[in-house]
Amino acid sequence: MPWTQSVGGVRHHFADLRTLLARASPQRSGDELAGIAARSAEERVAAQMALADLPLKTFLDDFAIPCEDDEVSRLIAEQHDAAAFAIVSHLTVGEFRDWLLSEQASGEILARLAPGLTPEMAAAVSKIMRLQDLIAVAAKIRVITRFRTTIGLPGRLSTRLQPNHPSDDPAAIAASIIDGLLLESGDAVIGINPASDSVETVVNLLRLIEKLRLHLRIPVQSCVLAHITTQMEALRRGAPVDLLFQSIAGTEAANASFGVNLALLGEAHDAARELHRGEIGDNVMYFETGQGSALSADAHHGVDQQTCEARAYAVARQFRPMLVNTVVGFIGPEYLYDGKQIARAGLEDHFCGKLLGLPMGCDVCYTNHAEADQDDMDSLLTLLGAAGVNYIMGVPGADDIMLNYQSTSFHDALYLRALLGLRPAPEFEQWFEQNRRELPRAMSLLAASA
């Protein structure tokens, strides 16, 4: 159905729901590239006003992408829990925003509400929220997951130790892992992006991490971020697979561009759980997302990039993941132009993911051709810490020498923990405190033998 909104005596027309959502989005270079962004600040305000008056129930009948065209839309319809939705079913988007900020919307109530919300509802309300609103609501929500460590507890901040190397050199990777462990990084996962997607590389890197883990008795989980089919073949060959990774997006066509669909992800999830390698829990999946991925694959169906991103969270929550990570600035300035757009996107993604019941982390990052620098990342890092982000990246020197982008370092995590009084996952913290005096010598010996 069309919507009309007057601002300053000018009537603005929005032909359908996807147009209304796109025009209401805060400025994004990706939406401008797609030709769907608001054509003026006045039109954006008009769209936000119209969106604020839209009943939340509208999203149950009017999908951004029709169910007959997209398996993610069908999944969203199947996931919806009408009983959970009942508490807010009478609200408009604007009233929902006010309710989320109220004392009535406690963390416990928001956790019960999550299955009743669709991604489009979360995306819609985020578009009319200030940064402080996104932070305040997300900070109420704790999403806790377990494998060998417990991630997401109040007062905790975890890190993914990311020891990438451009030639997958085992000695260099081992040295980076040891460097991170000595700086209390790695409690979310030790996760390597391999330069090669070969099964042999995945097997060798998993065995390297396993050797370190067993020798030092580290309570941590590992992952090698190859394509999920490569990881599954490594699993079949007997590799010590903990978490299975895959990049995902918010449309069926975008996921197809990654070489995956819901059936394949379900098969992988079942295979990983059957290994029973988790010691305190069975959350076995690790997903990464990022605004702009559907547009870059020409698979966005005219839907704005932030709504597409929220739809990816429906895919993620289907498989009870251990970790979900928005790699917010990695895709480049064509989609998020500068530090301001990256910061807004990171806080939106974190808010929407948490609201939908996901254990959200963020790769606070940028590419070197974006209009952003490390000061911008320091700002976003601090804001996400206040918002209760589950985990961030730990990259040696914040400079990934294999993927060639800028992220956050082991020291950045120490800064945020010290500033906000946060600590690592309890199992990892206990291990570190019990072994900290012997670790330097033990790790130096392991690095020499890697």
Side-chain angles (χ1 to χ4, degrees), residues 113-173:
L113 172 64
L117 297 177
T118 69
E120 286 87 350
M121 292 177 191
V125 74
S126 75
K127 295 176 191 297
I128 62 169
M129 297 175 81
R130 296 171 60 183
L131 295 189
Q132 65 177 248
D133 299 342
L134 298 172
I135 293 167
V137 177
K140 299 180 185 182
I141 305 170
R142 309 308 309 186
V143 182
I144 299 168
T145 55
R146 294 178 173 89
F147 191 81
R148 292 194 189 96
T149 58
T150 305
I151 307 302
L153 292 169
R156 306 281 176 169
L157 173 71
S158 296
T159 61
R160 169 190 160 187
L161 202 169
Q162 184 171 306
N164 299 343
H165 191 271
S167 65
D168 293 327
D169 180 67
I173 289 171

Side-chain angles (χ1 to χ4, degrees), residues 166-228:
S167 65
D168 293 327
D169 180 67
I173 289 171
S176 292
I177 292 173
I178 289 166
D179 185 25
L181 290 171
L182 288 169
L183 291 167
E184 295 184 80
S185 185
D187 54 327
V189 64
I190 299 176
I192 305 171
N193 297 91
S196 166
D197 197 59
S198 73
V199 176
E200 291 75 16
T201 296
V202 172
V203 171
N204 290 337
L205 292 177
L206 285 171
R207 286 176 176 165
L208 168 64
I209 303 173
E210 185 77 344
K211 177 182 177 181
L212 290 170
R213 183 182 75 82
L214 292 176
H215 185 84
L216 295 169
R217 304 181 305 281
I218 315 170
V220 73
Q221 38 279 339
S222 65
C223 185
V224 175
L225 287 71
H227 191 270
I228 199 162

Side-chain angles (χ1 to χ4, degrees), residues 281-323:
D282 63 352
N283 300 112
V284 296
M285 301 301 286
Y286 174 17
F287 294 119
E288 286 190 347
T289 66
Q291 289 193 29
S293 58
L295 174 58
S296 69
D298 194 25
H300 60 105
H301 298 269
V303 178
D304 68 274
Q305 66 183 38
Q306 191 258 331
T307 300
C308 282
E309 170 72 6
R311 286 169 54 90
Y313 302 152
V315 177
R317 71 176 174 180
Q318 181 70 9
F319 303 104
R320 298 176 51 247
M322 177 73 178
L323 307 167

